[in-house]
Amino acid sequence: MGLLSSSATFVRYAVEGEMVPNFLDFAAERIKDNAFRDIDDNYEERSVGWVSVLSMFDSSFEYASFAVGDYIVLTMRIDERKVAPNVLKKFTLKEEERLKKERQVPKLSRSQKIEIKENVKLMLLKKAVPVPATYDLCWNLSQGNLLFFSTSLKAQTELEDFFKKTFDLSLRLQIPYLTAEHLLEPDVHDALSRLSPDILI
């Protein structure tokens, strides 16, 4: 569930690194450079980019800005063409059998099989419709924290890499201990480090 849903699940990140002066101008340029590019009309296998949280089809932010007060709100959109392994295997074997009959040979070389598999995969990818996935985020610029509305480890890894590519800043996942350390004053950090888990039942 995303940022604008009535209920949501999210993970919290700390944003690490030095923000450049006039950061919103810098962010606008980087978001534009890394905006989502549609692959419906070509044969690319995968596309990752930023779109508006209001519409997955608004990659130019014509209808809503990504900047809201002291926050940046974005949606990371990933479109991907996939070929099921069993489908790829079926059509690869079918093509191998066709070529063996056509050339009247008992078997094909390893390099021929690899070439056949690559060609069959490309052919199937061209027929596959890209499947979209969207993940919202809300970034508090002054506090340096970010909420990401997915608990998928794969999506989190994708976000960490794409965020770094876009903004030249790193994300550090906040476990409860780190969140407590962030919220408490520095003079009690030592006491926090001495706490140990306990069973409360």
Side-chain angles (χ1 to χ4, degrees):
M1 303 297 283
L3 174 63
L4 303 181
S5 302
S6 57
S7 62
T9 54
F10 61 84
V11 293
R12 185 190 304 271
Y13 281 97
V15 181
E16 298 183 333
E18 192 72 26
M19 294 171 67
V20 301
N22 301 317
F23 185 76
L24 279 179
D25 292 338
F26 170 79
E29 190 65 31
R30 289 300 185 90
I31 291 169
K32 180 181 177 182
D33 292 344
N34 292 278
F36 178 79
R37 305 302 197 259
D38 209 338
I39 58 173
D40 285 350
D41 298 325
N42 58 46
Y43 301 126
E44 289 183 39
E45 191 171 349
R46 198 167 190 273
S47 178
V48 183
W50 302 114
V51 296
S52 166
V53 293
L54 295 182
S55 171
M56 64 184 286
F57 302 106
D58 182 11
S59 58
S60 57
F61 299 88
E62 293 180 6
Y63 306 109
S65 172
F66 58 83
V68 182
D70 199 27
Y71 292 83
I72 285 179
V73 289
L74 292 166
T75 294
M76 181 176 68
R77 176 176 168 181
I78 303 173
D79 278 24
E80 195 167 11
R81 286 187 167 87
K82 293 181 179 177
V83 178
N86 55 347
V87 173
L88 177 60
K89 183 178 180 180
K90 170 191 167 184
F91 282 92
T92 300
L93 291 174
K94 187 176 181 180
E95 180 64 6
E96 287 177 4
E97 290 302 314
R98 187 189 72 78
L99 285 177
K100 284 194 288 187
K101 288 180 181 177
E102 180 181 285
R103 298 172 185 176
Q104 297 184 346
V105 294
K107 62 181 182 179
L108 300 171
S109 67
R110 185 173 182 276
S111 61
Q112 288 173 320
K113 288 183 177 181
I114 291 173
E115 183 180 356
I116 290 169
K117 186 175 182 180
E118 290 175 349
N119 290 337
V120 168
K121 184 179 180 182
L122 182 60
M123 180 268 291
L124 292 173
L125 282 175
K126 288 180 178 179
K127 294 180 178 178
V129 176
V131 178
T134 58
Y135 307 96
D136 298 339
L137 67 84
C138 178
W139 177 9
N140 186 315
L141 295 173
S142 61
Q143 295 183 6
N145 59 49
L146 181 150
L147 303 181
F148 182 57
F149 292 83
S150 174
T151 55
S152 160
L153 293 179
K154 184 178 178 183
Q156 291 169 21
T157 300
E158 191 78 51
L159 170 72
E160 291 163 14
D161 293 341
F162 196 59
F163 189 89
K164 174 76 174 177
K165 175 177 181 283
T166 303
F167 300 108
D168 294 335
L169 296 170
S170 299
L171 292 176
R172 185 182 185 197
L173 188 62
Q174 295 295 282
I175 59 176
Y177 176 86
L178 294 174
T179 302
E181 186 180 63
H182 178 73
L183 295 173
L184 294 172
E185 297 296 331
D187 58 345
V188 295
H189 284 183
D190 188 50
L192 177 66
S193 68
R194 291 195 299 272
L195 293 177
S196 60
D198 203 350
I199 298 175
L200 302 177
I201 57 175

